[in-house]
Amino acid sequence: MPQIVILPHAKLCPDGAVLEAPAGKSICDVLLENDIDIEHACEKSCACTTCHVLVREGIESLNEATELEEDMLDKAWGLEAVSRLSCQSIVADADLVVEIPKYTINQVSEGSH
């Protein structure tokens, strides 16, 4: 079974984590099922960017981003070539290394940073 290495995030996962990731699940679902409370303000419907992640390794194994996802990502804080919406990124058969950005564009959550 593939694994997702989550790089340390000061608030959501201070020590980082290594998670079992069943193929066919989204990165967002894997994180949530392992008590990493990544934001998902639109309830995983590809209508916001609060679940934005940076896939540092293994991005080529994920499903291809749709045009809608790419349009949403244009609004994400800290956009990089390896940016994906975790709710739209489906795990395949390769291990992944994922970084959760420090900020999101969710104004409610930004107040606490």
Side-chain angles (χ1 to χ4, degrees), residues 46 64-75 85:
C46 197
E64 194 170 320
T66 65
E67 187 173 332
L68 176 59
E69 179 183 356
E70 289 176 356
D71 288 346
M72 292 308 304
L73 280 169
D74 286 341
K75 302 172 187 176
L85 296 181

Side-chain angles (χ1 to χ4, degrees), residues 6-52:
I6 306 299
L7 299 176
H9 180 279
K11 185 175 179 181
L12 299 178
C13 189
D15 297 324
V18 178
L19 311 174
E20 296 293 319
K25 283 205 170 202
S26 72
I27 292 174
C28 186
D29 285 337
V30 173
L31 271 61
L32 293 170
E33 289 170 4
N34 285 277
D35 300 319
I36 299 174
D37 194 23
I38 191 166
E39 291 186 63
H40 52 289
C42 71
E43 296 300 320
K44 303 181 275 186
S45 65
C46 197
C48 74
T49 63
T50 59
C51 73
H52 170 226

Side-chain angles (χ1 to χ4, degrees), residues 78-99:
L79 181 66
E80 294 185 21
V82 294
S83 290
R84 289 294 304 265
L85 296 181
S86 66
C87 71
Q88 301 300 302
S89 302
I90 306 302
V91 176
D93 57 358
D95 292 344
L96 304 170
V97 175
V98 172
E99 179 180 354

